[in-house]
Amino acid sequence: MIRSVITLLLLFLPFIAGAEPGIPAVTVTTGEDGGQSYTVSLQILALMTILTLLPAALMMMTSFTRIIIVLAILRQAMGVQSTPSNQVLIGLSLFLTFFIMNPVFDNAYQNGVKPYMDGGIEVSEAIDKSTQPFKEFMLAQTRESDLELFANIAGYTELESAADVPFSLLLPSFVTSELKTAFQIGFLIFIPFLIIDLVVASVLMAMGMMMLSPMLISLPFKLMLFVLIDGWALLMGTLASSFYI
């Protein structure tokens, strides 16, 4: 996980490197009365500002978006409004994301971050080598139609290969594709639970028990079905494998 954070942080090094060089971390100014004041470097301020973008990068450049949406739809389909809680879903999505993205993080760390930290390559080369695994992962999950859509909007007409796709174009295309895929998976998950709701509602209406909520009766059957088919293992395995098929 530490490697993952370091790798994501390196993606924003161009913004940090853009700060004026040679400014000391802390400047001590002595006043006329002998008192001292301390000024924090602009580089530190830029670094702390960039750190706030890491959560957005984690959500928008990894598998997190697809996973959390599918889990939220599953909870809605089962009819359990607050179980598992949002904290559990986010934690589960986060660690499954690190599991899925581990080859990408490791590749970026070994090829870009580690050589840079060892002093073997320059910052620009480290950034290129660190971002390349992310770019390959995102391109593999992005639909061509979404790339064409945003390329037409942005006016990119000279993209001859996938290597020419800039991050500014790839990011919105990747997020759009992930949203589409997540809702497609969620639709397939929703169908069997919807069938159970329809069957229970029909039975209750045939028995004249129209005042009894069908959701109250169908919930145990949906939970039993999900447990009998080992739903959590099946869902987690399907989500993980969907990124590398």
Side-chain angles (χ1 to χ4, degrees):
M1 187 181 297
I2 296 177
R3 287 186 178 184
S4 306
V5 175
I6 296 175
T7 303
L8 288 173
L9 181 59
L10 186 65
L11 299 179
F12 298 99
L13 272 180
F15 303 98
I16 302 174
E20 183 179 348
I23 301 178
V26 177
T27 301
V28 181
T29 303
T30 304
E32 297 180 356
D33 57 352
Q36 293 181 336
S37 60
Y38 301 88
T39 303
V40 180
S41 167
L42 294 179
Q43 291 181 345
I44 302 299
L45 179 61
L47 176 61
M48 298 303 296
T49 303
I50 294 302
L51 284 175
T52 61
L53 299 177
L54 284 179
L58 177 63
M59 290 187 294
M60 297 293 102
M61 297 173 60
T62 64
S63 58
F64 182 87
T65 301
R66 183 188 303 186
I67 297 171
I68 190 62
I69 291 177
V70 170
L71 292 180
I73 293 177
L74 170 67
R75 185 175 65 178
Q76 184 71 24
M78 294 180 64
V80 284
Q81 300 300 322
S82 58
T83 304
S85 63
N86 291 332
Q87 292 84 350
V88 173
L89 290 185
I90 292 175
L92 182 60
S93 303
L94 183 63
F95 284 101
L96 186 59
T97 296
F98 281 115
F99 172 78
I100 295 171
M101 299 296 297
N102 184 64
V104 179
F105 287 137
D106 187 66
N107 191 3
Y109 180 82
Q110 295 296 334
N111 295 334
V113 179
K114 191 174 185 299
Y116 170 74
M117 297 177 66
D118 294 338
I121 58 177
E122 298 295 331
V123 175
S124 58
E125 185 179 358
I127 293 173
D128 291 337
K129 291 185 176 181
S130 298
T131 55
Q132 188 61 32
F134 287 92
K135 193 172 183 179
E136 293 175 356
F137 171 81
M138 295 165 68
L139 281 171
Q141 310 301 325
T142 304
R143 293 175 173 83
E144 292 184 6
S145 59
D146 295 325
L147 277 175
E148 293 176 358
L149 170 65
F150 287 98
N152 293 331
I153 294 175
Y156 287 100
T157 59
E158 300 179 355
L159 299 177
E160 298 180 356
S161 63
D164 299 329
V165 179
F167 260 103
S168 60
L169 174 61
L170 181 58
L171 279 173
S173 304
F174 171 74
V175 173
T176 303
S177 293
E178 285 295 281
L179 290 174
K180 289 181 180 178
T181 303
F183 275 91
Q184 288 175 353
I185 297 174
F187 171 76
L188 295 176
I189 292 175
F190 215 105
I191 291 177
F193 297 108
L194 180 61
I195 293 175
I196 294 177
D197 287 334
L198 290 175
V199 171
V200 171
S202 300
V203 172
L204 291 178
M205 185 172 294
M207 297 175 62
M209 304 174 65
M210 291 176 292
M211 299 301 294
L212 184 61
S213 173
M215 295 293 296
L216 184 63
I217 304 300
S218 63
L219 179 58
F221 292 99
K222 290 189 286 188
L223 293 177
M224 181 181 64
L225 172 65
F226 195 70
V227 171
L228 289 178
I229 64 173
D230 198 9
W232 285 114
L234 185 62
L235 180 63
M236 295 297 104
T238 302
L239 282 173
S241 61
S242 66
F243 289 94
Y244 292 101
I245 294 178

